[in-house]
Amino acid sequence: MTQELVPVLSQADIHERVKGLAERISDDYGPTGLIILGVLKGAFVFLADLVREISIPVRIEFIQVASYGAGMETSGEVKLIKGLEINLENRHVLVVEDIIDSGLTIAYLLDHLEKMRPKSVRVCTLIDKKGRREVDIPIDYVGHSVDSGFLVGYGLDYNEKYRGLPGVYHLKQ
Ligand code: 5GP
Ligand code: MG
């Protein structure tokens, strides 16, 4: 089966969007800073670039969930693979995702985090894939919106492949 990679965001596009998001985040939170909570594995590249453009103090933590298995469709079931080692009570938390599709993963995470009584929880995603949203969740910071398509590169994988590509591509089969 042949697969084709169609460019969606170049390295320069991404850099522009990351800088814009980092500026807004820095302005919104101010000098008291925040906890950046990266969702593994997909968000690691975006998070690494984002934190280097943010000009206020950040603490970086990671959480890992899985829903996809090896395919391109969500299984609808979200599992926590790596939980948090710190207390979020009374802290400002920004969840950083690579891409939001059905919204099930982020809805599960927000529910999980709320139980820890943080002062605030917001969501930042590089890509908002709007076409197949199943749960309505507020997304505070969006780098780029698409309607549909399976995307890879810049942290995003297909069966653990393509994470290292510097841009984002639509994987067409
Ligand atoms: P959701 O629960 O919103 O349907 O999906 C969220 C997770 O599914 C994302 O964090 C990501 O890991 C994965 N995902 C959703 N859409 C895509 C996509 O187009 N490409 C890749 N590589 N992963 C995706
Ligand atoms: Mg993910």
Side-chain angles (χ1 to χ4, degrees):
M1 189 170 30
T2 56
Q3 292 184 332
E4 193 191 343
L5 292 174
V6 181
V8 173
L9 292 174
S10 68
Q11 246 179 309
D13 294 333
I14 295 171
H15 187 57
E16 188 108 326
R17 283 166 172 77
V18 168
K19 273 201 321 204
L21 291 172
E23 208 166 293
R24 277 183 54 208
I25 292 165
S26 304
D27 284 351
D28 289 353
Y29 287 89
T32 39
L34 71 158
I35 296 181
I36 298 255
L37 182 57
V39 185
L40 293 172
K41 299 180 210 165
F44 81 105
V45 179
F46 175 44
L47 183 145
D49 282 347
L50 189 68
V51 297
R52 283 178 289 178
E53 298 288 346
I54 290 178
S55 57
I56 56 172
V58 293
R59 173 169 178 158
I60 299 164
E61 297 292 334
F62 290 99
I63 197 164
Q64 185 167 13
V65 292
S67 63
Y68 261 55
M72 286 193 186
E73 296 285 321
T74 178
S75 65
E77 190 191 323
V78 183
K79 272 189 309 199
L80 189 66
I81 293 177
K82 180 204 173 293
L84 272 167
E85 285 134 40
I86 57 153
N87 189 356
L88 297 183
E89 190 167 345
N90 227 14
R91 310 292 296 270
H92 290 293
V93 179
L94 180 64
V95 182
V96 174
E97 257 285 27
D98 50 359
I99 185 163
I100 297 176
D101 182 12
S102 69
L104 291 168
T105 304
I106 204 77
Y108 168 89
L109 269 178
L110 292 177
D111 193 53
H112 180 75
L113 297 175
E114 284 300 344
K115 292 180 188 141
M116 300 179 202
R117 298 153 47 95
K119 195 172 237 166
S120 71
V121 183
R122 288 185 185 166
V123 176
C124 173
T125 187
L126 177 67
I127 295 163
D128 180 7
K129 189 157 68 177
K130 295 167 169 296
R132 298 193 309 179
R133 194 63 39 81
E134 287 177 35
V135 278
D136 192 26
I137 26 121
I139 310 175
D140 305 277
Y141 305 96
V142 175
H144 181 69
S145 294
V146 296
D147 187 57
S148 59
F150 193 82
L151 307 185
V152 295
Y154 197 70
L156 292 152
D157 76 308
Y158 174 60
N159 290 348
E160 297 303 324
K161 246 173 85 179
Y162 304 120
R163 290 196 200 276
L165 294 178
V168 174
Y169 296 83
H170 180 188
L171 181 68
K172 283 195 167 163
Q173 331 205 274

